[in-house]
Amino acid sequence: LQYYRATLDELRSGDSEAIRDGFESTAALDDILGKWVDQKGSSYSVWLKQPTDTKCMVERRHSNGRRRRFTGLIHLRDGENPAVAWGSSYTLAIDSSGTDRVRWIPVGDGSAFEWR
């Protein structure tokens, strides 16, 4: 897998809320693989079909029990500033003290959200 780490200043200049609390951007899909829970109680399983894939499989189990599977929603975005992306709306930042929580940073307007 390609690997790149940058400060959130490189990812989104001027986003002081995202920069504090020790988060940094990542372009390593390994940082998001596994099981996560969002702030509303939905759980997510994230995996790769093949180790060389640049798009993840995601299964979301909503807090009401409903399940949905996505292919490629979370992917490695190439280009000048590579990043792990959620569609075209969010990029991933990891807790620099470990990967026990991640923060999805909006590319444009919107609010960041976390998975644990």
Side-chain angles (χ1 to χ4, degrees):
L1 293 177
Q2 293 178 320
Y3 191 79
Y4 172 83
R5 283 192 192 270
T7 66
L8 285 175
D9 283 328
E10 291 175 299
L11 183 64
R12 278 189 77 205
S13 60
D15 190 353
S16 60
E17 179 184 345
I19 293 168
R20 69 174 177 246
D21 299 332
F23 282 86
E24 61 185 26
S25 68
T26 182
L29 289 175
D30 287 345
D31 289 331
I32 195 63
L33 302 179
K35 295 185 183 284
W36 301 91
V37 177
D38 71 15
Q39 295 161 308
K40 296 180 180 179
S42 294
S43 61
Y44 299 80
S45 295
V46 183
W47 71 96
L48 297 172
K49 280 188 172 183
Q50 301 291 323
T52 57
D53 284 350
T54 59
K55 297 179 180 180
C56 295
M57 299 292 298
V58 179
E59 184 175 271
R60 178 187 71 196
R61 184 174 187 164
H62 198 276
S63 56
N64 68 11
R66 184 173 172 221
R67 289 181 186 214
R68 188 161 178 203
R69 190 171 280 192
F70 304 91
T71 302
L73 178 64
I74 297 175
H75 61 278
L76 184 60
R77 185 183 68 204
D78 289 329
E80 190 174 310
N81 292 314
V84 174
W86 173 295
S88 60
S89 302
Y90 293 88
T91 55
L92 183 68
I94 60 169
D95 185 346
S96 59
S97 65
T99 57
D100 61 336
R101 66 183 181 142
V102 296
R103 184 175 288 169
W104 291 101
I105 308 299
V107 172
D109 294 334
S111 299
F113 62 94
E114 289 187 11
W115 287 0
R116 294 180 184 265

